[in-house]
Amino acid sequence: MATPPVKVYGPPLSTAVSRVLVCLLEKDVPFQLVPVNMAKMEHKKPDYVKMQPFGQVPAFQDDDITLFESRAICRYLAEKYPNKGTAGLFGTNPLVKASIDQWLEAESQSFNPPSSVLTFQLFFAPLMKLKQDEALIKQNEAKLEKVLDVYENRLGSSRYLAGDEFTLADLSHLPNTQFLVEKTDKAELFTSRKNVGRWWSEISTRPAWKKVVEMQNA
């Protein structure tokens, strides 16, 4: 009997869900995407909260293992399937892993906060018919510019953030950047920076991410 695929709960449009999906596709791991109707508050129902105690998406199941933080899920997949699909997503030795981890932390702590605010304010708020907060947009655009200046310098001497190979450090930036470049008027934040623009062009055209974008647009 075939081993059941891992299950990912949540909509592909969610940035955290799409982060997990692209990792699964990079690793060529079969999976089942389980819809969660957030408009109907399905993510707050008791059975779901047992898997995801914060009542958010994604939730992730692999046999009897349940995880809920997207970056932790990606680390788990890269460690469990080191030689399947794209190899080396989380490195092959302690030093490389540390380099990947520090850029994952930079993404989580420095890049994600302002880019998430901008993604919500510029893309999701209009869809939800919510008023945009112009002061918040301006404040977080300035924060993101400072982060991207650091990236511009780093990517001047390195093909990818953690070195010369595509890793989770790059992959984790895909969801928010996709929205900002393709769905808002802030693409220049990335494309006006030579090295960041080159990096984004490379990582955003990977087949796994293009497949996730197709899922989002379906």
Side-chain angles (χ1 to χ4, degrees):
M1 184 175 178
T3 303
V6 301
K7 294 180 180 181
V8 182
Y9 294 78
L13 208 59
S14 157
T15 54
V17 172
S18 65
R19 182 176 291 113
V20 174
L21 295 179
V22 68
C23 187
L24 284 161
L25 290 165
E26 286 283 356
K27 296 306 297 178
D28 196 23
V29 175
F31 64 91
Q32 178 185 352
L33 182 61
V34 182
V36 176
N37 191 324
M38 300 182 76
K40 294 183 177 179
M41 303 298 287
E42 289 180 356
H43 56 304
K44 300 298 184 183
K45 291 185 176 180
D47 285 347
Y48 184 83
V49 173
K50 287 179 183 177
M51 297 186 294
Q52 220 296 8
F54 293 99
Q56 299 172 346
V57 292
F60 172 92
Q61 286 184 319
D62 186 1
D63 292 329
D64 58 346
I65 295 171
T66 301
L67 298 170
F68 60 82
E69 204 288 321
S70 63
R71 295 168 189 82
I73 295 167
C74 290
R75 287 183 178 99
Y76 164 77
L77 290 168
E79 292 274 42
K80 182 175 181 179
Y81 304 102
N83 300 313
K84 189 172 175 61
T86 303
L89 281 183
F90 195 38
T92 55
N93 65 61
L95 182 59
V96 176
K97 287 180 188 291
S99 179
I100 295 168
D101 248 338
Q102 72 179 357
W103 287 104
L104 273 171
E105 286 296 314
E107 183 274 325
S108 175
Q109 301 298 324
S110 299
F111 177 88
N112 188 65
S115 64
S116 290
V117 170
L118 291 174
T119 296
F120 180 80
Q121 288 290 327
L122 297 171
F123 178 73
F124 287 104
L127 286 180
M128 300 166 69
K129 295 181 170 56
L130 298 174
K131 185 178 179 180
Q132 294 172 307
D133 186 329
E134 294 298 334
L136 195 60
I137 291 170
K138 185 176 181 180
Q139 179 186 52
N140 282 276
E141 184 175 349
K143 289 180 180 179
L144 184 56
E145 284 183 332
K146 290 180 179 178
V147 176
L148 292 176
D149 285 343
V150 174
Y151 285 19
E152 177 70 7
N153 183 59
R154 168 60 177 170
L155 292 166
S157 59
S158 178
R159 183 177 178 185
Y160 297 104
L161 287 172
D164 291 329
E165 301 294 332
F166 176 81
T167 69
L168 294 182
D170 309 290
L171 177 150
S172 199
H173 289 79
L174 284 163
N176 282 358
T177 308
Q178 177 73 27
F179 281 117
L180 293 176
V181 171
E182 299 295 336
K183 303 292 186 181
T184 78
D185 62 355
K186 301 300 181 184
E188 277 195 4
L189 289 171
F190 299 86
T191 58
S192 66
R193 290 168 168 82
K194 177 183 176 182
N195 300 319
V196 170
R198 184 267 310 159
W199 167 74
W200 172 246
S201 180
E202 285 196 41
I203 68 174
S204 63
T205 54
R206 294 180 68 84
W209 182 245
K210 291 169 75 173
K211 176 64 176 175
V212 173
V213 174
E214 289 176 6
M215 295 170 71
Q216 292 177 333
N217 294 332

